[in-house]
Amino acid sequence: MNIGIMGGTFNPIHNGHLILSEYIRQKLNLHKVIFIPTGIPPHKDVRYVLDAHIRKEMIELAIESNPYFCLSTMEIDKDSVSYTIDTVTELKEIYSKDRLYMIIGADSLLSLHTWKGFEKLIRMTDFVVADRHGACDSDVLARIKDLNIRFGSNICRIDTPIIEISSTEIRNKIKEGLSIRYLVPESVEEYIIDNNLYR
Ligand code: ATP
Ligand code: MG
């Protein structure tokens, strides 16, 4: 099986994550995409990150209707900071006969060198990089080429539509009392409103 891994804080999950995952799933012929929310993210100001259980529930609502999408709580079940290298090590044991593709946005690629054990990590599994607003194409291509040559990794860029949605934008909109309709699935929007999140 070909399996896509979509890791992130998902604070909250938005249509950018979903459109991207579905697009890549089709393009790479993935049998499934596993969404893995981080428990305690190493690179984010945790004051603004909602409880893992709440982020998980929003993912469940968002992916419910897609039979190819599933959720893993492997990172949020731990009390320690989530490092991708530990997650990938575990996933490779679980899916030892399958091929894993880590799906990341171009912004994540450009900060990949700050991730724990990144040299080892990029040799461990394939990476697929999606275009993202703000990350210049030539920078991304140059970085991929450099990493693949220096470390023998298999990172590739995939042509994806640019979707200018971020969780930050959604949190800011809510704070300003603006609508987030069509930026997140309707069920997620309702959940956010009902639970008075990100106010
Ligand atoms: P925040 O604004 O809080 O950083 P985010 O929208 O970047 O949130 P994350 O949960 O940090 O969402 O992202 C998880 C992964 O999805 C990252 O690899 C990120 O690059 C990618 N990603 C998120 N949104 C997009 C998008 N609109 N286009 C391409 N990649 C995206
Ligand atoms: Mg981000």
Side-chain angles (χ1 to χ4, degrees), residues 9-10 14 17 44 105 107-108 132 163 165-168 171:
T9 315
F10 301 113
H14 54 69
H17 297 125
K44 301 231 163 149
D107 59 312
S108 301
R132 190 163 196 190
I163 304 144
I165 306 176
S166 69
S167 302
T168 305
R171 294 193 301 273

Side-chain angles (χ1 to χ4, degrees), residues 6-18 20 24 44 103-111 115 128-141 144 157-171:
M6 181 77 190
T9 315
F10 301 113
N11 184 39
I13 189 164
H14 54 69
N15 287 343
H17 297 125
L18 296 166
L20 190 75
I24 293 176
K44 301 231 163 149
I103 301 170
I104 58 172
D107 59 312
S108 301
L109 173 84
L110 297 177
S111 67
W115 294 18
V128 179
V129 181
D131 296 329
R132 190 163 196 190
H133 170 74
C136 161
D137 242 15
S138 54
D139 285 355
V140 170
L141 287 174
I144 290 176
R157 172 183 168 277
I158 190 159
D159 243 325
T160 50
I162 302 270
I163 304 144
E164 266 192 68
I165 306 176
S166 69
S167 302
T168 305
E169 179 199 358
I170 289 164
R171 294 193 301 273

Side-chain angles (χ1 to χ4, degrees), residues 9-15 17 48 50 54-55 58-59 165-172 174 180 183-184 188 191-192 197-198:
T9 315
F10 301 113
N11 184 39
I13 189 164
H14 54 69
N15 287 343
H17 297 125
Y48 304 107
L50 285 193
I54 295 176
R55 290 180 286 118
M58 291 191 282
I59 297 172
I165 306 176
S166 69
S167 302
T168 305
E169 179 199 358
I170 289 164
R171 294 193 301 273
N172 289 340
I174 297 168
I180 55 163
L183 301 178
V184 299
V188 173
Y191 183 97
I192 289 174
L197 306 178
Y198 303 112

